[in-house]
């Protein structure tokens, strides 16, 4: 959730944030099912795509190419904002407390 929040808030992601995400999710294979594993992979992949777009945007002048990158950046950021709900669904079953 922290990773998603940082991206939605700033519309950027740094290499340090990507590495921290990898570090904090490295034990996922032992704790969660494949569905969570795939979700975390997709978060990292989209974060990496956003990072690459951020770098490109720094060097591109105003114009059609820049507008294309800004549009892609907006789509990825929107996707991340939708992942709040998705992550709650996926992780919800692991966070439920039930009486036996």
């Amino acid at each position: 959730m922290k990773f998603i929040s940082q991206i939605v808030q700033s519309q950027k992601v740094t290499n340090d944030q990507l590495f921290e995400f990898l570090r904090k999710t490295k034990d996922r294979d032992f704790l969660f099912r494949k569905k969570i594993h795939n979700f975390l992979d997709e978060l990292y992949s989209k974060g990496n795509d956003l990072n690459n777009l951020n770098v490109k945007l720094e060097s591109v002048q105003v114009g059609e190419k820049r507008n294309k990158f800004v549009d892609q950046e907006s789509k990825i950021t929107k996707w991340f904002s939708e992942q709040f709900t998705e992550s709650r669904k996926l992780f919800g079953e692991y966070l439920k407390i039930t009486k036996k």
Side-chain angles (χ1 to χ4, degrees):
M1 294 301 281
K2 178 182 174 184
F3 184 68
I4 295 169
S5 296
Q6 290 171 331
I7 291 172
V8 170
Q9 188 175 34
S10 68
Q11 296 186 353
K12 296 185 183 325
V13 63
T14 64
N15 284 327
D16 287 342
Q17 290 168 323
L18 287 165
F19 292 134
E20 178 183 3
F21 179 77
L22 284 177
R23 211 173 28 256
K24 289 186 174 183
T25 60
K26 68 180 178 183
D27 295 328
R28 64 189 176 196
D29 295 336
F30 303 107
L31 301 171
F32 303 109
R33 294 185 196 148
K34 185 77 170 160
K35 197 172 188 179
I36 299 284
H37 183 240
N38 292 341
F39 177 70
L40 295 174
D41 281 346
E42 188 172 19
L43 285 174
Y44 177 78
S45 178
K46 294 274 188 183
N48 202 34
D49 291 344
L50 182 59
N51 180 273
N52 289 331
L53 279 170
N54 295 151
V55 170
K56 288 176 184 177
L57 280 167
E58 289 176 9
S59 63
V60 175
Q61 300 296 326
V62 175
E64 199 172 309
K65 192 173 187 178
R66 182 175 180 80
N67 291 343
K68 180 182 169 188
F69 290 150
V70 168
D71 185 49
Q72 290 174 338
E73 179 186 55
S74 294
K75 286 178 183 175
I76 292 173
T77 302
K78 183 178 185 282
W79 180 86
F80 269 101
S81 69
E82 294 165 353
Q83 300 318 300
F84 284 115
T85 303
E86 186 63 25
S87 64
R88 285 187 181 107
K89 287 181 201 173
L90 289 171
F91 287 98
E93 70 179 270
Y94 297 96
L95 301 174
K96 287 182 186 174
I97 299 173
T98 57
K99 276 187 170 181
K100 289 192 177 193

